[in-house]
Amino acid sequence: MKEVNPTETSRAYAFEMWMNAPMPMVTFFKTLDVSRLIKISRKTGMKFNMLMCYCIGKAASAVKEFYMLPVGDKLMQYDSIAVNTIVANKGGEVSSCDIPFCDDLSRFNQSYLQLTRQVAESCANHDLAESMVIGTSALTRYEIDGAVGMYSGIFNNPFLIWGRYKRRLLKTTLTISFQFHHTQMDGAHASCFLDGLQKEIDKLSY
């Protein structure tokens, strides 16, 4: 992770326009076809949430804007991406767990299982400060049509929220919300990411 001069990046105009905006976050909604993830989860025993996190990391890693993030009043550049998941801990509360993204699904699954188990038992967050972290929150017990995340003014990280998937006759769908800081990316970049997410889901194999 290193600080970069915004004027020397493709985000120069966005940095000037949006860094001091009172509400710089943008939220998109998209309904995904997650039938393939359901099939793979049933076949292999892999958790649906892990598969979603993997596909999110895979799609994000192909969009260069994900490797930059406004932090405070600076623009930071990262060499790696992580996907965060919220874990129910043994104290009856929730803790935060950052999973380092890697292209190998088996390795990512191992990291996911190990780190979420560690966080659940210790009730301590697992943070990866040197990675650009994509937040997620899965409200899988509830059917929701969408959610707009809170802008704290402290964390500018991109964030995805989803609820329970919906079964149809021919496919299973999942509506997600994607919140991002306008300094980090524009709507076209966000749309490219969401299209890429569906493509990664569709071509995932194990």
Side-chain angles (χ1 to χ4, degrees):
M1 179 179 67
K2 65 178 181 180
E3 181 182 357
V4 294
N5 184 344
T7 63
E8 298 175 356
T9 73
S10 61
R11 304 310 298 157
Y13 177 76
F15 188 91
E16 180 182 352
M17 289 295 295
W18 300 107
M19 275 303 292
N20 295 318
M23 180 51 193
M25 309 302 285
V26 182
T27 302
F28 282 10
F29 295 91
K30 186 175 179 67
T31 298
L32 301 168
D33 181 348
V34 294
S35 305
R36 184 155 187 79
L37 297 191
I38 299 296
K39 181 179 179 180
I40 293 174
S41 179
R42 288 175 177 170
K43 179 181 179 180
T44 65
M46 291 180 172
K47 294 179 182 293
F48 175 84
N49 190 67
M50 183 282 298
L51 294 171
M52 274 292 295
C53 289
Y54 173 81
C55 289
I56 288 167
K58 181 81 169 172
S61 65
V63 180
K64 66 181 179 63
E65 283 71 21
F66 273 90
Y67 289 89
M68 283 189 288
L69 184 73
V71 179
D73 59 354
K74 300 176 182 178
L75 188 63
M76 307 301 293
Q77 187 171 47
Y78 296 81
D79 295 324
S80 61
I81 286 176
V83 183
N84 172 273
T85 188
I86 303 300
V87 178
N89 62 42
K90 69 177 184 180
E93 302 295 336
V94 294
S95 299
S96 174
C97 183
D98 294 347
I99 316 294
F101 176 73
C102 70
D103 198 59
D104 186 295
L105 176 57
S106 294
R107 285 178 54 200
F108 183 82
N109 182 46
Q110 291 173 1
S111 295
Y112 180 96
L113 294 175
Q114 175 190 343
L115 292 172
T116 53
R117 187 181 306 115
Q118 171 187 312
V119 168
E121 289 297 316
S122 67
C123 302
N125 295 337
H126 180 263
D127 299 322
L128 294 174
E130 295 301 312
S131 295
M132 204 299 299
V133 179
I134 305 167
T136 73
S137 181
L139 306 169
T140 55
R141 290 190 294 173
Y142 308 98
E143 286 191 8
I144 59 174
D145 293 323
V148 177
M150 178 191 72
Y151 175 55
S152 66
I154 301 173
F155 300 108
N156 296 326
N157 302 63
F159 201 90
L160 292 98
I161 302 174
W162 61 86
R164 181 187 299 171
Y165 50 71
K166 299 177 182 178
R167 300 180 189 277
R168 300 289 186 260
L169 287 176
L170 299 177
K171 63 182 179 180
T172 302
T173 62
L174 180 70
T175 300
I176 65 169
S177 69
F178 173 50
Q179 177 178 274
F180 59 94
H181 197 291
H182 211 331
T183 296
Q184 183 180 29
M185 67 184 78
D186 299 323
H189 304 125
S191 298
C192 178
F193 161 67
L194 293 173
D195 284 350
L197 176 54
Q198 181 65 73
K199 290 175 183 177
E200 293 300 335
I201 291 171
D202 290 342
K203 71 181 183 182
L204 186 64
S205 61
Y206 188 79

